[in-house]
Amino acid sequence: MASRMTSYTLALLPGDGIGRDVMAEAEKVLSVIEQLTPISLTINKIPCGGQHYLDTGEEWPEGSFEFCRDEADAILLGAVGWPGAITEDGDLAGGSVILGLRSGLDLYANVRPIRLYEGVRHKIHGEFRQIWKPGMVDMLIIRENTEGLYHSLLRRSADKAQGRDSWEPHTMDFPGLEGEVAWDPRPISRHGSERVIRYAFDAAQRRNGAPGDGKTRVTCVDKSNVTRGCQLFNRIYHEIAEDYPDTETDHAYIDAFCMWVVRNPEWFDVVVTPNMFGDISTDLASVLQGGMGIAASANLGDEHGMFEPVHGSAPKYTGQNITNPMAMINSVSLMFDWLGETNNAADCKVIADFIDKAVTETLMGGILTYDLGGTAKTSEVGDAIVGVLETLLRKHFAVA
Ligand code: IPM
Ligand code: MN
């Protein structure tokens, strides 16, 4: 059994735009945890992303990846991406932070919980309404996180290191296409699929089943009617399902899934899907829980974990103190839950649960940013959450 760790080293990567705004609120949460619990945190804040690239010519300081790999117990990321910030190779500046960490640390499962909290109305047709009820939406979308369409970046850096160019159009025929062609291969491997699909089945065993009928169910979402990679993914899904006879198998093509998830969210328990489909469908599914202001994610591997809101850097909202910090703070909760799980540390589990309670209470109290129909500022929502959390922590840990 792992020893109970009470000290953790965290890498904080605020990144770009509103990533910086919401990270400031996460830091308030971390500091109250430091003060009121037996846990001590060593925090290393690392500048990174597109804005940092424009300022300095590098995506992050040298040695940052190694710090995340060798020193950090967990990584918190705000968001990366900034208009006009493109590397000299023509890639997203900040890409080697987010995509580099996902593949470099083998964070193969991107776990994106979609759960509707009490006190949330959704903005549909321009109005805030209650459409889905809390208890009706509670699913985990698990996105493969290291291959598929995102593999190109890895391939380009491997090419660069080996001084070759596997991208010249003449290396491949494109029948029926004329003129300039740009292309991105979408490799899907047996190993990559097996590990994420197994993660999905294991995650389903720890849950209470789909909200609609209580059944433990893993839905494979793919496009196996058209693509070879998805055919492999789907085949491996069925192989692994045999090891979990009590879990219901289920399948949807990605296009149909987009329709079903909105129409019948209560059907879904755990969903597993290749990389790009997971990227797109989790933005869509976030609407079921009130939008991107709430949606959190965990990038998990066997050794490392990185936690980040699903949303991007939203340049036009940057620095205005209006962004909802809940997605970031929920990601902090996911981080403590994972630290608790991997270190067998009950205190971390308690903290994760208290953060969740503090977010719920803040929502119930109507302290809402504009995206949820309120007028509260980023910092007011952060302070409200910290206020509730403080009370819960004081009571539990009995710190004077
Ligand atoms: C996400 C983001 C990233 C992705 C971008 C910033 C590269 O959209 O985490 O969903 O596409 O994975
Ligand atoms: Mn995305």
Side-chain angles (χ1 to χ4, degrees):
M1 201 154 67
S3 69
R4 195 175 117 171
M5 243 173 113
T6 53
S7 164
Y8 299 97
T9 299
L10 305 181
L12 257 57
L13 308 168
D16 293 313
I18 61 163
R20 299 177 180 186
D21 301 354
V22 296
M23 187 62 88
E25 304 309 311
E27 287 180 76
K28 291 183 193 167
V29 169
L30 294 175
S31 106
V32 83
I33 290 166
E34 271 254 75
Q35 282 164 40
L36 300 177
T37 75
I39 285 172
S40 87
L41 301 172
T42 304
I43 293 175
N44 184 8
K45 201 157 136 183
I46 302 173
C48 65
Q51 287 176 287
H52 184 74
Y53 182 81
L54 293 177
D55 290 346
T56 65
E58 55 181 15
E59 292 175 90
W60 51 353
E62 225 183 291
S64 301
F65 172 80
E66 289 74 14
F67 180 86
C68 292
R69 184 190 60 198
D70 304 332
E71 310 291 333
D73 294 305
I75 304 161
L76 275 176
L77 174 68
V80 292
W82 196 252
I86 306 290
T87 67
E88 55 189 29
D89 297 329
D91 289 316
L92 167 84
S96 44
V97 178
I98 184 169
L99 304 174
L101 283 169
R102 285 174 183 171
S103 46
L105 300 183
D106 261 337
L107 307 173
Y108 57 83
N110 193 325
V111 182
R112 300 187 156 183
I114 311 288
R115 176 159 61 91
L116 180 54
Y117 292 73
E118 300 278 349
V120 172
R121 292 167 305 146
H122 325 80
K123 193 177 182 190
I124 304 282
H125 289 299
E127 262 179 61
F128 286 97
R129 304 179 197 172
Q130 187 75 60
I131 298 175
W132 301 280
K133 295 190 185 65
M136 206 175 152
V137 179
D138 186 355
M139 72 186 85
L140 276 189
I141 300 185
I142 299 177
R143 160 186 178 187
E144 198 293 319
N145 212 28
T146 58
E147 49 187 50
L149 269 174
Y150 286 75
H151 189 259
S152 307
L153 199 76
L154 212 62
R155 177 165 173 161
R156 281 194 288 275
S157 51
D159 280 353
K160 203 173 166 184
Q162 292 168 21
R164 75 187 150 115
D165 182 359
S166 58
W167 297 84
E168 285 170 35
H170 67 253
T171 59
M172 188 128 176
D173 252 353
F174 296 100
L177 305 193
E178 279 178 39
E180 191 177 347
V181 174
W183 62 292
D184 305 277
R186 181 175 175 261
I188 289 186
S189 74
R190 169 168 282 277
H191 173 67
S193 304
E194 274 175 358
R195 61 187 184 177
V196 73
I197 293 167
R198 194 167 289 286
Y199 182 93
F201 275 92
D202 287 338
Q205 314 312 306
R206 298 189 291 268
R207 291 169 46 87
N208 302 318
D213 57 11
K215 287 202 176 139
T216 296
R217 172 179 297 125
V218 177
T219 305
C220 178
V221 170
D222 60 44
K223 194 72 185 175
S224 52
N225 51 346
V226 178
T227 74
R228 290 290 169 90
C230 283
Q231 285 164 10
L232 177 62
F233 191 84
N234 185 278
R235 184 150 43 86
I236 293 169
Y237 165 83
H238 285 288
E239 287 173 19
I240 291 184
E242 287 186 17
D243 294 341
Y244 300 83
D246 297 331
T247 300
E248 192 174 287
T249 55
D250 186 38
H251 174 260
Y253 295 126
I254 179 63
D255 47 352
F257 173 70
C258 290
M259 180 265 301
W260 284 117
V261 78
V262 173
R263 195 182 152 119
N264 283 355
E266 67 276 20
W267 174 257
F268 296 101
D269 177 14
V270 173
V271 173
V272 65
T273 190
N275 205 340
M276 183 60 95
F277 294 157
D279 178 43
I280 299 167
S281 63
T282 51
D283 272 36
L284 171 70
S286 81
V287 176
L288 301 167
Q289 61 173 172
M292 298 293 267
I294 296 199
S297 76
N299 299 263
L300 303 179
D302 296 328
E303 308 286 333
H304 301 276
M306 174 167 77
F307 304 83
E308 51 166 333
V310 174
H311 66 66
S313 62
K316 71 176 176 182
Y317 296 115
T318 297
Q320 296 178 42
N321 200 19
I322 59 171
T323 300
N324 192 345
M326 286 175 171
M328 182 78 240
I329 292 173
N330 287 340
S331 304
V332 177
S333 170
L334 292 179
M335 178 185 79
F336 277 103
D337 189 65
W338 178 80
L339 282 172
E341 203 69 45
T342 50
N343 296 293
N344 194 27
D347 286 351
C348 288
K349 287 282 205 183
V350 168
I351 291 168
D353 185 48
F354 284 175
I355 296 173
D356 201 63
K357 285 198 166 76
V359 169
T360 305
E361 203 163 303
T362 303
L363 287 165
M364 301 280 285
I367 303 163
L368 309 172
T369 40
Y370 77 95
D371 53 306
L372 296 175
T375 55
K377 299 287 181 197
T378 309
S379 52
E380 289 167 351
V381 173
D383 290 342
I385 294 170
V386 167
V388 181
L389 181 61
E390 209 175 314
T391 310
L392 292 167
L393 292 176
R394 269 189 207 285
K395 214 164 142 195
H396 182 86
F397 291 101
V399 177

